[in-house]
Each structure stands twice: as structure tokens, then as C-alpha cells.
Amino acid sequence: MLLSAPAGPSGPPGPPGPAERVLPLRRPGRWAAGIVVLVLAAQAVHGLTTNPFYQWDRFAYWFVRPVILDGLLITLQVAAYSAVLGLAGGVLLALGRLSGSPVLRSASWTYIWLFRSVPLIVVLLFLYNLSALYPTLSIGVPFGPAFLTFDESRLATDIVVAVVGLSLSEAAYAAEIVRAGVLSVDQGQHEAAAALGLPKRYQFARIVFPQALRSIVPSYVNQLIGLLKATSLVFYVSLLDLFGSVQSLGSTYPGDVVPLLLVATVWYVILTSLVSVVQFYVERYYARGALRTVPPTPLQRARAGLLDLRIRFRKETAR
């Protein structure tokens, strides 16, 4: 807001005098909202640090215990295998949805519809009890003799059931993410790839899919974060992952239920935060061909902020 002298009787006001200055626009609502948020955050931190019910000493005791770290390792294994297999299955299902074959389109759509409709816990429990329906699995001529026969109860261990169940469900969601990414690629890119005379598989692998990754990565990493949290359900198929270990210890030490739950919470927050950091740098990598300037890293932002503060300080001291 510019303060200037009032107009005289003979014409418009003259140039601003030395006492006149520019006043910033006042925003009382923004200041009030910021104060409220800071007060609520301070109350939350005060409650976490002073409430004896959280038992932070027991939290520190359990946080890196071997039984917790063993469960964390199982969680990472199940999540990694399921993410890779789920993405691979999602790519195949997306190609089926985009195929010109009505059989492949119908089969892919039916698979996606079914596994997006059935809850994950139901899929896991069904696979866990699959040996009751199919005691043996065989490979041979369809509707004919079998060449190889497997005992399903020995083949389907707890970790295999968990990985297969999560992968089947994950592939259904990954398929729609991949399909949306492929459809986001400009049609001219498809036509240019076809004009080069490249085979279909090279068109997809070398031209279409790398461009689609820019749209696929944010959505799929978000799905991957959900997968990390969904691994807590494998406890119901007798696999002691991070949550399963916490649940088992909570039954043995009922007085430590709250600190044990805090241990699981903090580890899940750490894992999802690491995945978010990876997501940022992957998105930044694939944004090079679409943006004139790639987004700055957190370190670059911190340096720019410090430089801006230094420039402001020099201007204030020079007056």
C-alpha cells in the first residue's frame, strides 16, 4: 500500500516525499491460523513427551530388539517381492486391457474387477486355506494325464502365501495405474514410433513406456506406500512380520502394548518416508524431458533459503 500526499487544489499530487514508504498488506487471518497451528503442535508434542502412559523408556527398549528387527526384515521382503511381482503383473494386465484381442481385454478386465472387489484379507485367508480345496497341484495335459504333481501344503509356505496374495491384489491396482500412464502419452508419439517401423514390443519398451513412467511413478509409489502398510495383514496367515511381532509381544507383555504399537508406528513412518524420498528423486529424473528446470532438491532449497536470508540481512544492515 502506497501512502502519498493528498491532491492539491491546482492538480494531481507531486512525487512521493522522503517520509513516504510502502507498507506491506496486512493478513491477520494468516497470522491467526499460524498461531493456532503452532499452539496445537506444541500441545501435541507436550502431551507425547510428558504423558507417562506412552512409556518412552520401554519404547527405546523394544525399538531395536532382535525380534522387532526380524519382523521388520520379513516386512521388507514381502513388500519388495510383492511390489516387483505386482508391477510386472500390472504391466501385463494393462497390455491386455489395451490389446486388440477381445479375449485378452475381457480376461484382463475380469481379473482387475475381481481383485479390486475382494478385500485383501479375504484373498490371504483363501490362499492360506487353499490346501483344503486343492491338496495337490499338477502339471500336464489339460483335462488329461498329469506329468508332475506337487503337494500344495509343502509348496505354499507362509511367506509364499503372503507374497502371492499381495501380488495378486497389487497387480489389479497397478494395471490401472500403468494403463493410465500409457494413455497419457501423446498419440503423436505412438504414430512416430510406428512410422519408424519398429516392432510393437520395441515401440512400447523404448518410446511409450519411458514417457509413461512420468505419470506412473507418483501413483505407483503412492500404491507402494499402501502396500507397505498392507503387509500388516500377513499376520493373519501366521507370518510374523513387523506388526505380527508387535502383536505377539503385546500378548506376552500386556503392560507394553502402547510402546510396542508406537514402535510399529515409528518403523512404518520411517519406511514410508524413505519411499517418499526415492519417489521425489525418481520423479525429478523423469521430469527432465518435460520441464525447463527440474524441481530443486531439499538441499538446494535450504541453500537458496540461507542465501536469501543473507541478502536480506545485508540490506537491513546497510540502511
Side-chain angles (χ1 to χ4, degrees):
M1 182 173 61
L2 179 64
L3 301 179
S4 58
S10 59
E20 298 173 357
R21 59 193 179 91
V22 176
L23 297 179
L25 182 63
R26 302 185 183 277
R27 303 179 185 273
R30 179 184 297 177
W31 281 98
I35 292 173
V36 170
V37 171
L38 290 176
V39 169
L40 293 177
Q43 287 181 332
V45 172
H46 180 266
L48 286 173
T49 55
T50 60
N51 193 336
F53 187 72
Y54 291 110
Q55 306 177 59
W56 291 108
D57 56 334
R58 301 300 296 170
F59 168 86
Y61 171 79
W62 287 113
F63 189 70
V64 290
R65 297 295 294 177
V67 63
I68 297 294
L69 296 181
D70 290 342
L72 178 64
L73 180 61
I74 292 176
T75 294
L76 292 175
Q77 288 177 341
V78 172
Y81 294 151
S82 302
V84 173
L85 295 176
L87 180 60
V91 171
L92 294 178
L93 289 170
L95 293 177
R97 287 290 310 272
L98 299 172
S99 172
S101 170
V103 176
L104 293 179
R105 286 201 310 269
S106 301
S108 301
W109 181 89
T110 303
Y111 180 97
I112 295 170
W113 164 77
L114 179 62
F115 280 92
R116 289 202 304 177
S117 302
V118 179
L120 177 58
I121 185 63
V122 175
V123 175
L124 291 172
L125 292 176
F126 184 84
L127 292 175
Y128 187 66
N129 296 281
L130 190 63
S131 59
L133 296 174
Y134 303 99
T136 58
L137 300 176
S138 59
I139 299 177
V141 179
F143 310 107
F147 301 140
L148 295 175
T149 303
F150 304 95
D151 186 357
E152 199 275 338
S153 60
R154 294 183 180 180
L155 185 64
T157 60
D158 294 341
I159 192 168
V160 170
V161 170
V163 170
V164 171
L166 288 171
S167 300
L168 291 175
S169 181
E170 187 72 11
Y173 294 95
E176 291 301 282
I177 294 174
V178 173
R179 187 173 70 92
V182 172
L183 292 177
S184 69
V185 178
D186 187 79
Q187 188 63 31
Q189 298 295 318
H190 295 267
E191 296 172 354
L196 292 175
L198 296 175
K200 286 288 185 179
R201 61 180 182 276
Y202 285 107
Q203 293 180 26
F204 179 79
R206 300 293 181 85
I207 296 177
V208 177
F209 193 65
Q211 297 183 63
L213 281 175
R214 183 170 176 266
S215 299
I216 293 172
V217 167
S219 300
Y220 187 70
V221 173
N222 187 57
Q223 183 67 25
L224 182 58
I225 291 174
L227 174 63
L228 269 172
K229 295 182 290 185
T231 55
S232 60
L233 295 176
V234 303
F235 168 69
Y236 295 98
V237 294
S238 302
L239 188 62
L240 291 180
D241 67 322
L242 175 61
F243 178 75
S245 300
V246 166
Q247 192 79 355
S248 178
L249 290 172
S251 302
T252 308
Y253 303 92
D256 291 349
V257 171
V258 172
L260 284 169
L261 289 176
L262 287 174
V263 167
T265 300
V266 172
W267 273 120
Y268 281 122
V269 169
I270 292 173
L271 294 179
T272 55
S273 300
L274 292 176
V275 173
S276 299
V277 171
V278 174
Q279 174 187 3
F280 171 80
Y281 283 98
V282 174
E283 287 183 11
R284 190 172 183 270
Y285 175 80
Y286 284 104
R288 294 180 304 172
L291 302 177
R292 290 187 175 89
T293 57
V294 295
T297 63
L299 182 59
Q300 292 173 341
R301 291 179 183 177
R303 289 177 178 174
L306 290 175
L307 180 61
D308 184 57
L309 288 176
R310 187 179 302 174
I311 293 174
R312 289 185 180 182
F313 178 75
R314 289 178 178 176
K315 287 182 179 180
E316 292 294 334
T317 54
R319 292 180 180 179

mmCIF file of all heavy atoms in Angstrom, residues 47-66:
data_model
loop_
_atom_site.group_PDB
_atom_site.id
_atom_site.type_symbol
_atom_site.label_atom_id
_atom_site.label_comp_id
_atom_site.label_asym_id
_atom_site.label_seq_id
_atom_site.Cartn_x
_atom_site.Cartn_y
_atom_site.Cartn_z
ATOM 1 N N GLY A 47 2.142 -33.282 25.086
ATOM 2 C CA GLY A 47 1.424 -34.468 25.540
ATOM 3 C C GLY A 47 2.198 -35.747 25.289
ATOM 4 O O GLY A 47 2.197 -36.662 26.119
ATOM 5 N N LEU A 48 2.890 -35.821 24.144
ATOM 6 C CA LEU A 48 3.676 -37.022 23.843
ATOM 7 C C LEU A 48 4.871 -37.181 24.773
ATOM 8 O O LEU A 48 5.256 -38.301 25.118
ATOM 9 C CB LEU A 48 4.154 -36.973 22.382
ATOM 10 C CG LEU A 48 3.110 -37.236 21.297
ATOM 11 C CD1 LEU A 48 3.703 -36.978 19.930
ATOM 12 C CD2 LEU A 48 2.585 -38.658 21.373
ATOM 13 N N THR A 49 5.465 -36.079 25.168
ATOM 14 C CA THR A 49 6.691 -36.157 25.965
ATOM 15 C C THR A 49 6.437 -36.250 27.466
ATOM 16 O O THR A 49 7.297 -36.755 28.206
ATOM 17 C CB THR A 49 7.576 -34.934 25.681
ATOM 18 O OG1 THR A 49 6.806 -33.734 25.909
ATOM 19 C CG2 THR A 49 8.065 -34.948 24.250
ATOM 20 N N THR A 50 5.300 -35.780 27.921
ATOM 21 C CA THR A 50 5.058 -35.744 29.373
ATOM 22 C C THR A 50 4.068 -36.787 29.854
ATOM 23 O O THR A 50 4.010 -37.046 31.057
ATOM 24 C CB THR A 50 4.544 -34.352 29.783
ATOM 25 O OG1 THR A 50 3.313 -34.058 29.081
ATOM 26 C CG2 THR A 50 5.576 -33.273 29.446
ATOM 27 N N ASN A 51 3.296 -37.394 28.961
ATOM 28 C CA ASN A 51 2.316 -38.384 29.387
ATOM 29 C C ASN A 51 3.030 -39.704 29.704
ATOM 30 O O ASN A 51 3.625 -40.321 28.812
ATOM 31 C CB ASN A 51 1.272 -38.607 28.291
ATOM 32 C CG ASN A 51 0.066 -39.389 28.788
ATOM 33 O OD1 ASN A 51 0.156 -40.136 29.768
ATOM 34 N ND2 ASN A 51 -1.059 -39.229 28.121
ATOM 35 N N PRO A 52 2.980 -40.173 30.952
ATOM 36 C CA PRO A 52 3.696 -41.418 31.293
ATOM 37 C C PRO A 52 3.078 -42.661 30.669
ATOM 38 O O PRO A 52 3.702 -43.728 30.649
ATOM 39 C CB PRO A 52 3.599 -41.462 32.824
ATOM 40 C CG PRO A 52 2.369 -40.668 33.157
ATOM 41 C CD PRO A 52 2.298 -39.587 32.126
ATOM 42 N N PHE A 53 1.863 -42.529 30.138
ATOM 43 C CA PHE A 53 1.193 -43.689 29.551
ATOM 44 C C PHE A 53 1.937 -44.216 28.321
ATOM 45 O O PHE A 53 1.842 -45.402 28.003
ATOM 46 C CB PHE A 53 -0.237 -43.299 29.176
ATOM 47 C CG PHE A 53 -1.077 -44.450 28.726
ATOM 48 C CD1 PHE A 53 -1.521 -45.415 29.622
ATOM 49 C CD2 PHE A 53 -1.438 -44.594 27.393
ATOM 50 C CE1 PHE A 53 -2.301 -46.476 29.207
ATOM 51 C CE2 PHE A 53 -2.212 -45.657 26.966
ATOM 52 C CZ PHE A 53 -2.650 -46.599 27.876
ATOM 53 N N TYR A 54 2.705 -43.338 27.635
ATOM 54 C CA TYR A 54 3.425 -43.764 26.437
ATOM 55 C C TYR A 54 4.655 -44.597 26.768
ATOM 56 O O TYR A 54 5.147 -45.321 25.914
ATOM 57 C CB TYR A 54 3.819 -42.550 25.600
ATOM 58 C CG TYR A 54 2.641 -41.855 24.970
ATOM 59 C CD1 TYR A 54 2.240 -40.601 25.406
ATOM 60 C CD2 TYR A 54 1.924 -42.452 23.943
ATOM 61 C CE1 TYR A 54 1.164 -39.953 24.830
ATOM 62 C CE2 TYR A 54 0.844 -41.820 23.355
ATOM 63 C CZ TYR A 54 0.458 -40.568 23.809
ATOM 64 O OH TYR A 54 -0.614 -39.936 23.251
ATOM 65 N N GLN A 55 5.205 -44.484 27.955
ATOM 66 C CA GLN A 55 6.332 -45.299 28.406
ATOM 67 C C GLN A 55 7.489 -45.267 27.391
ATOM 68 O O GLN A 55 7.859 -46.280 26.792
ATOM 69 C CB GLN A 55 5.894 -46.745 28.646
ATOM 70 C CG GLN A 55 4.713 -46.911 29.586
ATOM 71 C CD GLN A 55 4.306 -48.356 29.723
ATOM 72 O OE1 GLN A 55 5.096 -49.190 30.134
ATOM 73 N NE2 GLN A 55 3.063 -48.656 29.369
ATOM 74 N N TRP A 56 8.070 -44.092 27.230
ATOM 75 C CA TRP A 56 9.123 -43.942 26.231
ATOM 76 C C TRP A 56 10.371 -44.757 26.571
ATOM 77 O O TRP A 56 11.155 -45.088 25.673
ATOM 78 C CB TRP A 56 9.475 -42.465 26.070
ATOM 79 C CG TRP A 56 8.369 -41.693 25.420
ATOM 80 C CD1 TRP A 56 7.540 -40.789 26.009
ATOM 81 C CD2 TRP A 56 7.963 -41.779 24.043
ATOM 82 N NE1 TRP A 56 6.635 -40.286 25.083
ATOM 83 C CE2 TRP A 56 6.871 -40.880 23.882
ATOM 84 C CE3 TRP A 56 8.393 -42.517 22.946
ATOM 85 C CZ2 TRP A 56 6.229 -40.708 22.666
ATOM 86 C CZ3 TRP A 56 7.741 -42.345 21.730
ATOM 87 C CH2 TRP A 56 6.682 -41.451 21.592
ATOM 88 N N ASP A 57 10.583 -45.063 27.838
ATOM 89 C CA ASP A 57 11.719 -45.908 28.174
ATOM 90 C C ASP A 57 11.541 -47.323 27.631
ATOM 91 O O ASP A 57 12.492 -47.938 27.131
ATOM 92 C CB ASP A 57 11.917 -45.931 29.689
ATOM 93 C CG ASP A 57 10.653 -46.388 30.422
ATOM 94 O OD1 ASP A 57 9.549 -46.209 29.871
ATOM 95 O OD2 ASP A 57 10.775 -46.917 31.546
ATOM 96 N N ARG A 58 10.299 -47.838 27.701
ATOM 97 C CA ARG A 58 10.021 -49.148 27.129
ATOM 98 C C ARG A 58 10.052 -49.095 25.587
ATOM 99 O O ARG A 58 10.443 -50.063 24.936
ATOM 100 C CB ARG A 58 8.652 -49.655 27.606
ATOM 101 C CG ARG A 58 8.529 -49.791 29.103
ATOM 102 C CD ARG A 58 9.542 -50.771 29.641
ATOM 103 N NE ARG A 58 9.293 -52.134 29.133
ATOM 104 C CZ ARG A 58 10.136 -53.143 29.294
ATOM 105 N NH1 ARG A 58 11.301 -52.945 29.924
ATOM 106 N NH2 ARG A 58 9.843 -54.346 28.837
ATOM 107 N N PHE A 59 9.644 -47.972 25.028
ATOM 108 C CA PHE A 59 9.743 -47.786 23.579
ATOM 109 C C PHE A 59 11.201 -47.909 23.132
ATOM 110 O O PHE A 59 11.516 -48.599 22.153
ATOM 111 C CB PHE A 59 9.176 -46.421 23.190
ATOM 112 C CG PHE A 59 9.478 -46.010 21.782
ATOM 113 C CD1 PHE A 59 8.660 -46.405 20.738
ATOM 114 C CD2 PHE A 59 10.584 -45.222 21.487
ATOM 115 C CE1 PHE A 59 8.933 -46.028 19.429
ATOM 116 C CE2 PHE A 59 10.864 -44.844 20.191
ATOM 117 C CZ PHE A 59 10.044 -45.247 19.166
ATOM 118 N N ALA A 60 12.116 -47.237 23.841
ATOM 119 C CA ALA A 60 13.531 -47.310 23.496
ATOM 120 C C ALA A 60 14.073 -48.728 23.670
ATOM 121 O O ALA A 60 14.951 -49.165 22.911
ATOM 122 C CB ALA A 60 14.324 -46.325 24.355
ATOM 123 N N TYR A 61 13.538 -49.446 24.650
ATOM 124 C CA TYR A 61 13.998 -50.812 24.883
ATOM 125 C C TYR A 61 13.606 -51.732 23.726
ATOM 126 O O TYR A 61 14.394 -52.562 23.276
ATOM 127 C CB TYR A 61 13.416 -51.334 26.200
ATOM 128 C CG TYR A 61 13.656 -52.806 26.448
ATOM 129 C CD1 TYR A 61 14.884 -53.258 26.917
ATOM 130 C CD2 TYR A 61 12.655 -53.756 26.200
ATOM 131 C CE1 TYR A 61 15.112 -54.607 27.132
ATOM 132 C CE2 TYR A 61 12.870 -55.097 26.420
ATOM 133 C CZ TYR A 61 14.096 -55.524 26.887
ATOM 134 O OH TYR A 61 14.310 -56.859 27.091
ATOM 135 N N TRP A 62 12.372 -51.597 23.233
ATOM 136 C CA TRP A 62 11.863 -52.509 22.206
ATOM 137 C C TRP A 62 12.242 -52.102 20.787
ATOM 138 O O TRP A 62 12.180 -52.929 19.869
ATOM 139 C CB TRP A 62 10.338 -52.582 22.284
ATOM 140 C CG TRP A 62 9.800 -53.336 23.454
ATOM 141 C CD1 TRP A 62 9.082 -52.834 24.513
ATOM 142 C CD2 TRP A 62 9.919 -54.744 23.700
ATOM 143 N NE1 TRP A 62 8.751 -53.829 25.394
ATOM 144 C CE2 TRP A 62 9.249 -55.019 24.919
ATOM 145 C CE3 TRP A 62 10.531 -55.795 23.023
ATOM 146 C CZ2 TRP A 62 9.178 -56.292 25.461
ATOM 147 C CZ3 TRP A 62 10.461 -57.068 23.554
ATOM 148 C CH2 TRP A 62 9.790 -57.310 24.761
ATOM 149 N N PHE A 63 12.638 -50.855 20.559
ATOM 150 C CA PHE A 63 12.736 -50.322 19.200
ATOM 151 C C PHE A 63 13.699 -51.119 18.326
ATOM 152 O O PHE A 63 13.420 -51.368 17.150
ATOM 153 C CB PHE A 63 13.148 -48.845 19.253
ATOM 154 C CG PHE A 63 13.069 -48.158 17.926
ATOM 155 C CD1 PHE A 63 11.841 -47.884 17.339
ATOM 156 C CD2 PHE A 63 14.220 -47.785 17.247
ATOM 157 C CE1 PHE A 63 11.768 -47.248 16.112
ATOM 158 C CE2 PHE A 63 14.153 -47.157 16.026
ATOM 159 C CZ PHE A 63 12.919 -46.885 15.451
ATOM 160 N N VAL A 64 14.839 -51.519 18.845
ATOM 161 C CA VAL A 64 15.832 -52.235 18.032
ATOM 162 C C VAL A 64 16.092 -53.632 18.583
ATOM 163 O O VAL A 64 17.184 -54.187 18.376
ATOM 164 C CB VAL A 64 17.150 -51.435 17.937
ATOM 165 C CG1 VAL A 64 16.960 -50.200 17.097
ATOM 166 C CG2 VAL A 64 17.669 -51.071 19.327
ATOM 167 N N ARG A 65 15.118 -54.196 19.275
ATOM 168 C CA ARG A 65 15.272 -55.565 19.750
ATOM 169 C C ARG A 65 15.328 -56.521 18.554
ATOM 170 O O ARG A 65 14.706 -56.269 17.505
ATOM 171 C CB ARG A 65 14.113 -55.957 20.660
ATOM 172 C CG ARG A 65 14.015 -55.149 21.943
ATOM 173 C CD ARG A 65 15.202 -55.369 22.853
ATOM 174 N NE ARG A 65 15.235 -56.741 23.362
ATOM 175 C CZ ARG A 65 16.208 -57.216 24.129
ATOM 176 N NH1 ARG A 65 17.238 -56.445 24.450
ATOM 177 N NH2 ARG A 65 16.160 -58.456 24.572
ATOM 178 N N PRO A 66 16.066 -57.628 18.639
ATOM 179 C CA PRO A 66 16.187 -58.557 17.502
ATOM 180 C C PRO A 66 14.848 -59.073 16.991
ATOM 181 O O PRO A 66 14.671 -59.243 15.777
ATOM 182 C CB PRO A 66 17.048 -59.690 18.074
ATOM 183 C CG PRO A 66 17.845 -59.048 19.157
ATOM 184 C CD PRO A 66 16.954 -58.013 19.755
#
